Each structure stands twice: as structure tokens, then as C-alpha cells.
Amino acid sequence: MTLDLTALKREARRKGTPPERLLELAGIGPVIARAVAASKYVVPEILVQLAESEDWVTRARVAHHRRTPLETLEKLAQDGEGGVLRNLLQNDRLPLCTLSTLAAHPNELVHEGVDRALARALLRGRIAEEDAQTLRELAGEYPYLRPVIARYWRQIPPDLAVQWLSDPDGRVRNAILRRQTRTRPIYRCRRGSSHQLAQPLPLEAVLPLLNDEKADIRELAAQVIARMTQLIDNGVSMRC
């Protein structure tokens, strides 16, 4: 008997198809299993089972699904197929611990995916305060991630900001300086009426960058120093 694959795929994606029927459909073959794994109505329990599929496309769709349990995402981070890992890195629910696992992957394409995924997580505020130590470790162990962390980590510790002013990667130095020119320059301290620079950098740490080999960094350093000097001349305290 000839199967109507189009009808079966439609059934796999249809709202209201019972989980038992979805499992039955997935067992017909890879083509239908892929449709089940991509359905927005599939339950997590079925996705867990499909993550064990021998078909890498099915596993890739499970890796990308918003309903896939975090434990399963962590397991898929060990998958040997690049397509599975690429889809996994596009899943915005991917926890930072899983990104840390993938950061050590030898494939440069995976590195690019980790870089983009980390940027999205930082931009959307999905990195909790308790993840600060993990971010420090990532930046220290994997220099290729340092530029995106320097650029998008909202609460970057002051000691790291100063340290990264002398980073060999010009993108890191640029990101640290640019934060000083893009953030609101002054704000009111909670306990008084004085004002200070947002995440101020020590003047002595910025001065050497006036002689940086990169013109854009020299220009940014001059802007930051001019702002600091103006505030000091106006009697504005840079410390609360």
C-alpha cells in the first residue's frame, strides 16, 4: 500500500493529534519523524524519544525545538553531527552551561555559533548574576569569545574592564572604551546627590591607549579622557 506522505506530515503537524498517534507516525520513517519533531504541538516526552533517532535531521529539529527539555539539550551538545549542533545553538533556551560545553568544540563553525548564541543571550538579558563566574571563565579560557563578552555583558566587573584595556585583541579594547561613550555618562548615587561616570575607568588605564596601534582606539581613548577631564574640571566626583 502506498502511503500518502503529505497527509501524514500534515497529521503530524496538526493541533490535537494525540501523543500516541504522533509516536506511531514517527515510527513510519525519518520523513514523518522529522515532521513530528518540528510540530509546535508535540509534547516534550516525545521530543526526548526523538532525540535518540538515528536520523540526524530529526535530532537537529529536536535540538531547535522550544519544548525540548534542558536535559535533552545538554545531551544533544555531545552529538557528533554538525547540523545538530548548529540547530542547537539557534535554540534561545540553551543554558550557559551548555554553551560552555560547546565552546571547547574543535570545529570553528561551532565556535561561530557559540559566539552568536552568547551574544543573543547577553543582549536579551538571559544571563543571571550567578553566571558571572562562568562568563569570566569563558573569557579567560576562550579568547575568541572575549570580544562579544566585552561588548554585550551589561554588568562587566570593573577589574575585567581595566584588564581588557590591554587585551591583544583590538575588538576587546574597542568594546571596553565604547561602553564609556555609549552608556549614560553620569548618574545619581543612591546615598547622596553626587554624580559619577557609569562604570568609570581609571584615567591612568586609559592614557596609554592614546598611543594604540589602531586609530579607532586612539580616537575612542581621546573621547573617554576628554569626558573624564571635563567632569573633573566641573567638580563632578567620579566616585560615590
Side-chain angles (χ1 to χ4, degrees), residues 1-14 21 24-36 61:
M1 184 179 74
T2 303
L3 296 175
D4 186 344
L5 294 181
T6 300
L8 291 173
K9 286 191 287 186
R10 189 181 303 117
E11 182 181 4
R13 291 192 288 261
R14 184 185 304 136
R21 176 57 178 164
E24 182 182 342
L25 290 169
I28 293 175
V31 173
I32 307 303
R34 295 170 187 177
V36 173
R61 293 188 177 183

Side-chain angles (χ1 to χ4, degrees), residues 8 19 25 35 47 49 62 67 70 89 96-97 112 114 122 138 140 143 154 176 179 213 217 227-229 236:
L8 291 173
L25 290 169
L47 290 168
Q49 295 188 49
V62 172
R67 289 188 171 185
L70 297 182
L89 287 165
L96 186 60
C97 61
E112 293 175 9
V114 171
L122 289 166
L138 281 173
R154 297 178 184 177
I176 295 300
R179 294 168 75 96
E213 61 181 358
I217 293 177
R227 174 178 288 182
M228 290 178 173
T229 304
V236 176

Side-chain angles (χ1 to χ4, degrees), residues 135-173:
L135 283 175
R136 276 181 175 270
E137 293 170 358
L138 281 173
E141 191 167 353
Y142 306 107
Y144 77 90
L145 290 176
R146 206 170 293 153
V148 73
I149 294 175
R151 184 174 182 182
Y152 296 122
W153 189 4
R154 297 178 184 177
Q155 302 297 329
I156 185 170
D159 64 305
L160 275 187
V162 173
Q163 176 184 329
W164 288 350
L165 284 176
S166 56
D167 193 271
D169 191 329
R171 295 172 299 171
V172 176
R173 304 195 300 278

Side-chain angles (χ1 to χ4, degrees), residues 63 68 117 186 201 206 223 232:
T68 301
I186 58 175
L201 293 169
V206 181
Q223 292 177 21
I232 292 173

Side-chain angles (χ1 to χ4, degrees), residues 155 158 180 183-200 231 236-240:
Q155 302 297 329
Q180 294 290 309
T183 55
R184 188 179 178 185
I186 58 175
Y187 64 88
R188 186 173 300 277
C189 299
R190 292 181 180 178
R191 65 174 181 268
S193 58
S194 61
H195 294 70
Q196 69 176 26
L197 281 173
Q199 298 180 327
L231 290 172
V236 176
S237 174
M238 292 175 59
R239 292 184 179 180
C240 290

